[in-house]
Amino acid sequence: MSVIYVTKPFLPPKAEYDAWLDRIWEREWLTNNGGLLLELEQRLREYLSVSNGCAVSNGHLGLELLLEALEIEGEVITTPFSFSSTTHAIVRKGIDPVFCDVDPMTLTIDAGKIEALITGRTTAILAVHVYGIPCAVDRIENIAKKHGLKVIYDAAHAFGVRKNGVGIANFGDASMFSFHATKLFHTIEGGMVCAKDRETLRRCALLRNFGIEDETTVSAAGGNAKMSEFQAAMGLVNLRYIHEIIDERRRITERYIQNLDGVEGLRIVCKSIPDDVEYNYGYFPVIVEDAFGISRDALYEGLKRYDIYSRRYFYPLIPDFDCYRDAGFRGLVPVARKASEGVLALPIYNGLPLDTVDLICEKILEVRKLGE
Ligand SMILES: *Cc1c(COP(=O)(O)O)cnc(C)c1O
C-alpha cells in the first residue's frame, strides 16, 4: 500500500495552466495589478458574493494588512484554537491577544465568553471559521456593536462557505481567505482580504504595495503583499474546478460518516454544522474522546504504522507554544485545550479514492482493537 498523506494540493490539467502562461508571455507583465490578477479578483468577488476584495501574496499578510487598515491596537480577543498565523498576526502588529475559550461542538470562539474578557483596551475580535465552520456571527456582531469593537474573521478555511445563502465574508468588518497550496482553493501561495467598507479595502490595497498612491505620492509605510500573475493564473484555472473540488470532498466526507458514525468515543466534528450553512468540506476532523478506549496520540501513531498520515490540527494550542507560554497573555481556555488534545484531522484531498477512505476507517478500528 502506498503512503496516504493528510492532504495533497490540487493540480489542474497542466495544459490549462500553460494557456494562461502564454498570456503572461504575450503581455510581458509579471506582477503589480496585471490583467490576470484583476480578472481573478473580479471572479473571486463574484464567487464569494462580496463587493470589496483584493488579492494578496498570502493569507497571513492579509490578516496583518486588515489589522493595520482597521487601525486595531491595544487588545484583541481571539481564539486559541487555530493555526499559528491568527495569533502571530496580532502579536506582530504589537497588539496583545486575549484568548477566549471555544464552543465544544463547533470549536469556534464561544460567543458567550467574549464579553467577560472586554476591557478598556479591547478594540477588536479576531475569530476563526475553523475547518470552515462559521462562527456565531450574529451573536458576535451584537457584542461588537454594543462595545464598539471591530470584527475580523480569519476565513482561511472557509472558502465558498455560505450561511443562509450569504457569502461568509459578508459578516464582520473584514475577512481573510488563504489560497495556500494545501487549502481548498489555491493560488500556490496567496490570499484575499474582503472588507465591508470600501475605504478599508482601499487602505489594504495601498499597504499591499508599499503605500504607493501614484508616481509621486507615497501615503503610508506599507509593505509588499502583492500577488503575481503566475499565482493569479493558477487561481484562474483552479476556480474553474471549484464545484468539482467541493463535490468530491463532499463524497469523501459522506463516506467517512457512513463508516465512522456511531463509533463510540469518536465525534465527527462536521456533524455539528447547522443546517443553514452551505459547507465546503475542506477538512475532516474527529475528536477522540475517552470512550474511544485509546488516546488520540495512540491512534495517530498507530495509523502512521500503516503509512496513514493524519494531523493533530490544532495541537499544541497556540497559548502553549514556546513563544507564548510565558508571555502572560490573558485567557483561560480549558475547552480548547481538551479539543486540542483530542482532535485528529483525517486524510481528505481531491483524488483520495473512496475505497481508501474505507481502508483508513478499517485501520482506525484495527488500531483501537490492538491498543486496548
Ligand atoms: C492557512 C491559514 C492561515 C495562513 O494563511 P497563509 O496563506 O498560509 O499565509 C491563517 N489562518 C488559518 C486558520 C490558516 O489555516
Side-chain angles (χ1 to χ4, degrees):
M1 199 179 86
S2 56
V3 177
I4 302 165
Y5 295 105
V6 66
T7 186
K8 230 189 210 182
F10 176 81
L11 279 169
K14 186 161 173 295
E16 290 186 34
Y17 186 60
D18 287 343
W20 284 104
L21 295 190
D22 289 344
R23 292 176 56 173
I24 299 177
W25 259 256
E26 277 160 28
R27 292 174 177 169
E28 301 184 329
W29 188 313
L30 307 187
T31 187
N32 285 71
N33 278 329
L36 272 55
L37 179 92
L38 297 177
E39 186 162 345
L40 178 66
E41 286 182 327
Q42 178 56 33
R43 289 194 194 179
L44 284 172
R45 283 191 293 261
E46 281 165 23
Y47 179 74
L48 298 167
S49 309
V50 292
S51 37
N52 302 311
C54 83
V56 287
S57 54
N58 60 67
H60 176 80
L61 282 177
L63 275 183
E64 291 196 13
L65 291 186
L66 286 175
L67 289 166
E68 251 180 273
L70 288 165
E71 298 178 321
I72 306 301
E73 55 184 19
E75 289 179 355
V76 168
I77 296 172
T78 190
T79 172
F81 192 75
S82 182
F83 183 57
S84 52
S85 169
T86 316
T87 299
H88 284 356
I90 296 170
V91 172
R92 289 171 61 80
K93 286 286 135 202
I95 305 161
D96 289 340
V98 173
F99 295 109
C100 179
D101 213 350
V102 299
D103 176 271
M105 297 310 282
T106 65
L107 305 177
T108 60
I109 200 164
D110 186 339
K113 292 182 179 159
I114 292 175
E115 279 193 286
L117 296 169
I118 296 173
T119 69
R121 295 185 66 222
T122 311
T123 57
I125 299 164
L126 173 44
V128 181
H129 302 304
V130 71
Y131 310 123
I133 305 171
C135 294
V137 289
D138 297 331
R139 292 181 66 192
I140 291 171
E141 188 180 328
N142 286 337
I143 294 165
K145 261 199 190 132
K146 187 169 148 196
H147 297 274
L149 307 176
K150 300 277 190 222
V151 179
I152 301 174
Y153 287 111
D154 176 337
H157 293 180
F159 189 80
V161 170
R162 289 168 178 275
K163 187 176 163 64
N164 275 321
V166 177
I168 197 70
N170 291 291
F171 298 99
D173 293 283
S175 299
M176 172 280 280
F177 293 103
S178 163
F179 304 154
H180 179 258
T182 57
K183 299 299 204 288
L184 183 83
F185 165 81
H186 78 85
T187 59
I188 312 169
E189 292 271 4
M192 178 138 157
V193 290
C194 304
K196 185 168 277 170
D197 160 44
R198 196 173 286 273
E199 176 56 22
T200 303
L201 203 84
R202 200 191 67 82
R203 281 199 58 79
C204 284
L206 195 67
L207 293 168
R208 121 185 121 161
N209 186 29
F210 305 106
I212 298 173
E213 299 256 9
D214 60 41
E215 270 178 57
T216 54
T217 319
V218 180
S219 62
N224 182 357
K226 299 191 299 295
M227 179 185 279
S228 78
E229 291 291 275
F230 291 77
Q231 292 164 286
M234 182 61 87
L236 284 163
V237 184
N238 286 345
L239 196 56
R240 282 195 56 223
Y241 289 91
I242 191 65
H243 295 290
E244 286 169 47
I245 290 172
I246 292 175
D247 237 38
E248 187 180 350
R249 297 172 89 107
R250 180 178 50 74
R251 287 194 296 273
I252 293 169
T253 299
E254 284 167 1
R255 192 66 158 239
Y256 268 125
I257 293 176
Q258 265 174 33
N259 280 300
L260 297 177
D261 203 12
V263 171
E264 207 189 342
L266 209 59
R267 188 162 73 75
I268 296 168
V269 176
C270 71
K271 285 186 68 187
S272 300
I273 299 174
D275 288 339
D276 63 359
V277 173
E278 202 177 301
Y279 189 48
N280 66 5
Y281 306 94
Y283 298 87
F284 191 80
V286 294
I287 305 282
V288 180
E289 297 169 333
D290 293 343
F292 189 65
I294 64 167
S295 71
R296 184 275 311 272
D297 286 351
L299 177 58
Y300 167 76
E301 294 294 340
L303 288 173
K304 263 204 315 207
R305 285 195 289 278
Y306 293 106
D307 277 341
I308 299 168
Y309 288 83
S310 54
R311 185 174 176 196
R312 291 170 289 190
Y313 195 58
F314 302 100
Y315 174 84
L317 206 62
I318 294 174
D320 298 338
F321 287 0
D322 284 357
C323 57
Y324 295 137
R325 200 180 298 134
D326 301 318
F329 296 137
R330 286 194 296 128
L332 289 173
V333 292
V335 178
R337 188 160 285 112
K338 190 152 195 293
S340 170
E341 284 161 5
V343 74
L344 197 62
L346 299 180
I348 183 165
Y349 52 84
N350 293 89
L352 178 67
L354 292 181
D355 53 10
T356 305
V357 174
D358 294 343
L359 184 99
I360 294 166
C361 296
E362 247 170 61
K363 296 301 179 198
I364 288 172
L365 299 180
E366 210 169 297
V367 170
R368 172 172 70 168
K369 213 165 179 184
L370 293 170
E372 269 172 351

